[in-house]
Amino acid sequence: MARKKITIKDIAESANVSKSTVSRVLNNNTPVNEEKRLAVLEAMERLNYKPNVVARSLAGGNSMTIGVLTQNIGSPFYDKVTQGVIQGLSDTDYSPIFADGRWDPEIETSAIKTLIDRNVDGLIMVGGNLPGSDLDSLRDSKPMVIVARRLPGWDNKCISVDNVAAAKDATEYLINSGHRKIAHIMGIPEHQDARDRYMGYQAALRDSGIALDEDLVVKGNFSSQSGVLAIESLLMKGVSFTGVFAGNDEMAFGARLAMYRRGIRVPEDVSIVGYDDQPNSAFMTPPLTTVAQPAEPMGEAAAQALLAFMRNQEFVPPRLDTELIVRESVHRIR
Amino acid sequence: MARKKITIKDIAESANVSKSTVSRVLNNNTPVNEEKRLAVLEAMERLNYKPNVVARSLAGGNSMTIGVLTQNIGSPFYDKVTQGVIQGLSDTDYSPIFADGRWDPEIETSAIKTLIDRNVDGLIMVGGNLPGSDLDSLRDSKPMVIVARRLPGWDNKCISVDNVAAAKDATEYLINSGHRKIAHIMGIPEHQDARDRYMGYQAALRDSGIALDEDLVVKGNFSSQSGVLAIESLLMKGVSFTGVFAGNDEMAFGARLAMYRRGIRVPEDVSIVGYDDQPNSAFMTPPLTTVAQPAEPMGEAAAQALLAFMRNQEFVPPRLDTELIVRESVHRIR
DNA sequence: CTGTTAGCGCCTTCAT
DNA sequence: ATGAAGGCGCTAACAG
C-alpha cells in the first residue's frame, strides 16, 4: 500500500534525469539514451510507479477513454461482442465508457453525442441501426470502428463475419439432411445481418435447385416472441415444412416453443437450425443446431483495430470464422 | 459544433468575474453574490459551457465517474443488474466505468484497485466473492454500495432481495403441488445467495413436516453443466424424486437436459423450478417455473443509493420483491 | 538526445 | 464575498 503517491517527479529524481525524459520513456515515442532508459525503468519498477491517467489526459489532450456504443436489446450475441471489446481494451491504458443505443437510430445518435461530449478518444460501435450516411459525417472527426455490422464504404473499419456464407451452410445442412420444405424466420429486414442470412438461405436453395417459396419466409424481429408468431402464422396459413432456419437462436427458441404448444415434435416432425449459438442453445430440448459466431474475438479485434488505427499502425484482423454447431435439433429424413 | 473549447476562463471574462468565482458557482459550495451568480450562470448557458471533467478531476475535485465492479461470468442476472446501474446513472452527471471481477476474489481486488486508480468518486459492486473483511477496509475510503449480495455489517449499503423467502416460496409451490421428494441443486456454497436459497428450501420442508434428506441435495456451481451433473449424480445414486428446485435457471436448464437424455419426462415424471427467470426460461420445453428477481430495479436502486450517500442524503430503497413465475414445468401430483 | 519552460482546465488556500 | 496565485501530474514545444 503505497501511502504516498509517487509521481513522475519522484522517479525523475530517483533516476537522475528530468521529468521530460521520464515522460519520454513512458510514452516511448522519442529516442532516449539506453542507459537512462533502463535507469528510469528500474526506478519505476522499484518505486512501483503508476502513471496518473487523469493528469496524462489533461496534458495530452486525450482522455484515454474509448466510447463504446452498445445495443442492450436483442440477442445476447451483442453482449458478448461488448465483452470482447472490454477484453481487448483491458490490457491497454484505455478504459471503455459505454452508452446504450437500444437499436434505435435516434437514441444511438444521442448516445454518440454523449460519448463525444465525454471527450472519448475513439469510438467502437457494436451493431446498431444508424444509417450509414449519419456515420459518414462522424468518420473523420473521431477514429472509429464498427463491430458485428457491415457497412458499405467502411470495409476496412468493419469487423464482422460472412453472414451469407454461414447462413448458406446452415441451410445446406438441412438440405443435405433430406429437407426440401424449409422455412426461414427472418430478423429485422432493416438489419443487414438479417438480409445477409436470408440471402444465404436463398443461395443454398438455389444451388440445390430448390425453388424459393415466399410463403415459407416469415419476417420476425430477432425476439423469441417473434419466433412463436412466425410459426403460428406458418401453421395458420397451412404451409407445410419439415425444417426451419431461424435468423437467430432467440427466434429458434420461440419457434420451438410454438411447436411444443402445438404438439409438433422436434426434430421428429420438424427440424430447427438457429444462428448465434447462444449459451443456452446447447441446453434446449432438444439441443439446438446453430451457427456459432466468434463474438468475443470480434469484439477484441475491434478494440485492437481501433487502437492500431489511432496510432496509425497497420492492423491485420485475425481470421473470424463461423462454425455450424450440429446438435440434435435436426433430423435426417427420407 | 463549438469549434473552440470554451473554458472557465472564457465564461469568467464574459461574466466579468474571476475564474475562482466561476468555480464557486460551479461547485456551489461557497456563498456567492446572487447577481454574479446569475451572470455566471447566464454566461455558461450562452456560451454552452461544459466543465472539463478531466481537469476537474486532476485538480483534486471529483472525477464524475463511478466505478462499477461487474461479474461477467455466471448467470445473466448480474448483467441485468449492471444494466440497471447504468440506467440509474444515466440521468445524472456521473458516468459509470466498469471493471470485471469474474467472481474471483483476486481479480476483484485488482479490478477495484484499477477503479480507484481511475479516481472514481464512488463504487458499486455487483455481486462478487470478495470476503467482507477485504471490503471493510475500503468502506470509508470511498463511498460504496453492494448490489445483489448481502454482507454482514453492511446492511444499509446492500441492495438485495430476500433469497431465503423466495426460495421457500418456490419450494412450497412444489410441496403444495403434491411433491414430497424434492431435490435441490445448490449453487456455489461460498456464495451467500446459494446458501440462502438452500436455507429457504430447508425451511419449506421443515414447515411442511418433511424431513430433510441430504441425499437429495447436490452441490452445483450455478452453471448449466453443473445442473446436468447434478441430475446424473442423483440418478447414479439411485435416489428417487419427483421435483427439483434448482439454485438458478442455468442449473435448471442443465437438469432438464440431463432428463431429456435419460428419457425422463418433464413435468410428467419430474417437475422443475428454477431461480432468476432469465429471458429464455419462458421458452424452454416446457417453460420453466422460476423465481423472478427485480434485477434492473435493484441496479437502479443501487445507483440512487450511492448518489444519495455521496451527497449525504437520505435514501429509502424501493420495495424490491421477488415473484414466483408459474409455468408448465411443474406437475400437480396425487 | 535531453533539460527547461509553459501550460492543460480547474480547485483551493490566502489575503483582501 | 472575491481575486490572485499556486499547484494537481504530465506532455509538448523549444533550445541546446
Side-chain angles (χ1 to χ4, degrees), chain B residues 56-114:
Chain B
R56 185 188 281 212
S57 176
L58 211 219
N62 16 29
S63 62
M64 304 311 278
T65 66
I66 84 99
V68 182
L69 181 73
T70 63
Q71 312 294 341
N72 289 322
I73 309 194
S75 107
F77 166 69
Y78 293 92
D79 284 352
K80 296 220 295 202
V81 175
T82 303
Q83 291 310 323
V85 169
I86 297 179
Q87 183 59 36
L89 249 24
S90 67
D91 283 331
T92 72
D93 290 334
Y94 291 86
S95 290
I97 92 175
F98 302 87
D100 183 7
R102 336 208 102 229
W103 289 113
D104 177 330
E106 267 188 54
I107 303 186
E108 281 178 43
T109 306
S110 95
I112 292 181
K113 230 177 79 47
T114 304

Side-chain angles (χ1 to χ4, degrees), chain A residues 69-70 99-101 105-116:
Chain A
L69 181 73
T70 64
D100 182 8
E106 267 188 53
I107 302 187
E108 282 179 41
T109 306
S110 95
I112 292 180
K113 223 177 88 45
T114 304
L115 253 18
I116 290 188

Side-chain angles (χ1 to χ4, degrees), chain A residues 20-309:
Chain A
S20 323
T21 303
V22 178
S23 173
R24 289 188 179 100
V25 340
L26 208 46
N27 294 297
N28 183 37
N29 53 6
T30 306
V32 169
N33 179 305
E34 192 59 14
E35 274 182 45
K36 308 207 171 192
R37 236 186 89 75
L38 264 21
V40 169
L41 256 16
E42 187 277 335
M44 300 205 301
E45 184 67 32
R46 180 159 43 79
L47 272 46
N48 183 29
Y49 169 69
K50 301 257 304 177
N52 179 322
V53 211
V54 179
R56 185 188 276 211
S57 174
L58 212 218
N62 24 26
S63 61
M64 303 311 279
T65 66
I66 85 99
V68 183
L69 181 73
T70 64
Q71 312 293 339
N72 289 320
I73 309 195
S75 108
F77 165 70
Y78 293 92
D79 285 352
K80 296 221 296 204
V81 175
T82 303
Q83 290 310 321
V85 169
I86 297 180
Q87 183 59 37
L89 249 26
S90 68
D91 283 330
T92 72
D93 290 333
Y94 291 85
S95 291
I97 92 174
F98 302 87
D100 182 8
R102 340 207 100 229
W103 288 112
D104 177 329
E106 267 188 53
I107 302 187
E108 282 179 41
T109 306
S110 95
I112 292 180
K113 223 177 88 45
T114 304
L115 253 18
I116 290 188
D117 281 350
R118 272 261 157 194
N119 195 23
V120 298
D121 298 334
L123 233 35
I124 296 183
M125 328 241 327
V126 181
N129 264 331
L130 212 55
S133 53
D134 287 29
L135 292 174
D136 289 339
S137 52
L138 289 173
R139 90 181 306 169
D140 25 38
S141 72
K142 285 277 182 202
M144 54 194 280
V145 307
I146 303 180
V147 212
R149 179 182 182 190
R150 197 159 339 218
L151 222 50
W154 283 72
D155 317 276
N156 52 338
K157 304 228 169 325
C158 289
I159 305 285
S160 69
V161 296
D162 190 340
N163 276 276
V164 181
K168 181 159 182 262
D169 267 9
T171 309
E172 273 167 355
Y173 180 69
L174 282 167
I175 296 174
N176 293 338
S177 299
H179 296 272
R180 288 294 171 274
K181 291 168 169 306
I182 302 171
H184 176 53
I185 309 180
M186 188 177 172
I188 304 172
E190 287 71 36
H191 202 305
Q192 184 66 42
D193 284 5
R195 291 201 298 269
D196 284 350
R197 292 169 198 176
Y198 180 36
M199 285 183 55
Y201 162 81
Q202 296 179 81
L205 296 183
R206 192 182 323 114
D207 281 11
S208 305
I210 303 176
L212 172 67
D213 178 353
E214 300 271 7
D215 283 345
L216 283 171
V217 179
V218 193
K219 283 188 199 36
N221 65 3
F222 282 133
S223 73
S224 301
Q225 193 50 48
S226 76
V228 175
L229 264 28
I231 295 301
E232 309 241 285
S233 108
L234 244 24
L235 261 25
M236 202 109 291
K237 287 192 292 192
V239 226
S240 82
F241 54 93
T242 66
V244 174
F245 169 48
N248 73 350
D249 281 3
E250 298 284 316
M251 295 193 293
F253 296 166
R256 201 271 171 271
L257 176 63
M259 295 181 195
Y260 169 75
R261 299 224 182 287
R262 294 292 195 126
I264 298 172
R265 293 167 307 163
V266 177
E268 293 82 352
D269 300 326
V270 173
S271 295
I272 305 185
V273 174
Y275 199 111
D276 274 356
D277 188 31
Q278 72 162 77
N280 294 327
S281 301
F283 292 88
M284 288 285 116
T285 312
L288 183 65
T289 294
T290 181
V291 174
Q293 296 190 78
E296 304 198 9
M298 287 169 67
E300 261 193 79
Q304 288 160 359
L306 181 63
L307 292 183
F309 182 37

Side-chain angles (χ1 to χ4, degrees), chain B:
Chain B
M1 294 289 101
R3 256 295 42 88
K4 193 195 183 319
K5 298 222 170 189
I6 63 132
T7 78
I8 199 178
K9 189 183 168 198
D10 298 318
I11 81 109
E13 289 169 354
S14 173
N16 280 319
V17 295
S18 71
K19 292 193 299 177
S20 323
T21 303
V22 178
S23 175
R24 290 185 178 106
V25 341
L26 208 45
N27 295 297
N28 184 39
N29 53 4
T30 305
V32 168
N33 180 304
E34 192 59 17
E35 273 181 46
K36 307 206 171 191
R37 239 187 86 75
L38 264 23
V40 169
L41 257 15
E42 187 276 335
M44 301 206 302
E45 184 67 32
R46 180 160 42 79
L47 271 45
N48 183 29
Y49 169 70
K50 304 255 302 177
N52 179 323
V53 213
V54 178
R56 185 188 281 212
S57 176
L58 211 219
N62 16 29
S63 62
M64 304 311 278
T65 66
I66 84 99
V68 182
L69 181 73
T70 63
Q71 312 294 341
N72 289 322
I73 309 194
S75 107
F77 166 69
Y78 293 92
D79 284 352
K80 296 220 295 202
V81 175
T82 303
Q83 291 310 323
V85 169
I86 297 179
Q87 183 59 36
L89 249 24
S90 67
D91 283 331
T92 72
D93 290 334
Y94 291 86
S95 290
I97 92 175
F98 302 87
D100 183 7
R102 336 208 102 229
W103 289 113
D104 177 330
E106 267 188 54
I107 303 186
E108 281 178 43
T109 306
S110 95
I112 292 181
K113 230 177 79 47
T114 304
L115 253 19
I116 291 187
D117 281 351
R118 273 255 160 197
N119 194 22
V120 297
D121 297 334
L123 233 35
I124 296 182
M125 328 241 325
V126 181
N129 265 333
L130 212 56
S133 54
D134 288 27
L135 292 174
D136 289 340
S137 54
L138 289 172
R139 90 183 305 170
D140 24 41
S141 72
K142 285 281 181 197
M144 55 193 282
V145 306
I146 302 179
V147 211
R149 178 181 184 192
R150 200 164 330 224
L151 221 50
W154 285 72
D155 318 275
N156 52 339
K157 305 227 169 328
C158 289
I159 306 284
S160 70
V161 297
D162 190 340
N163 276 277
V164 182
K168 182 160 181 261
D169 266 10
T171 309
E172 273 168 354
Y173 181 69
L174 282 166
I175 297 175
N176 293 338
S177 298
H179 296 272
R180 287 296 172 272
K181 293 169 168 305
I182 303 171
H184 177 52
I185 309 179
M186 190 177 171
I188 305 172
E190 286 71 38
H191 202 304
Q192 184 65 43
D193 284 6
R195 291 200 299 268
D196 285 350
R197 291 170 199 175
Y198 180 35
M199 287 182 54
Y201 162 81
Q202 296 179 83
L205 296 183
R206 192 181 323 116
D207 281 12
S208 305
I210 303 177
L212 172 65
D213 178 353
E214 300 273 6
D215 283 345
L216 282 171
V217 180
V218 193
K219 284 188 198 35
N221 66 4
F222 282 134
S223 73
S224 302
Q225 193 50 46
S226 76
V228 174
L229 263 30
I231 295 301
E232 308 239 287
S233 108
L234 245 24
L235 261 25
M236 204 110 286
K237 289 191 292 191
V239 224
S240 82
F241 53 93
T242 65
V244 173
F245 168 47
N248 73 351
D249 281 3
E250 299 282 317
M251 296 193 293
F253 296 166
R256 202 269 170 269
L257 176 62
M259 296 181 193
Y260 169 74
R261 299 225 182 286
R262 295 294 196 125
I264 298 172
R265 293 167 306 163
V266 176
E268 293 82 353
D269 300 325
V270 173
S271 295
I272 305 185
V273 174
Y275 199 112
D276 274 356
D277 189 31
Q278 70 162 79
N280 294 328
S281 301
F283 292 89
M284 287 287 115
T285 311
L288 183 66
T289 293
T290 182
V291 175
Q293 295 190 77
E296 304 197 9
M298 287 169 67
E300 259 193 82
Q304 288 160 0
L306 181 64
L307 293 183
F309 181 37
M310 299 193 323
R311 300 187 188 114
N312 272 312
Q313 286 171 192
E314 212 45 58
F315 176 73
V316 286
R319 282 190 59 71
L320 260 14
D321 289 327
T322 59
E323 185 188 358
L324 182 69
I325 310 289
V326 175
R327 292 196 275 247
E328 292 97 314
S329 69
V330 175
H331 198 196
R332 170 167 291 280
I333 62 178
R334 258 213 267 159

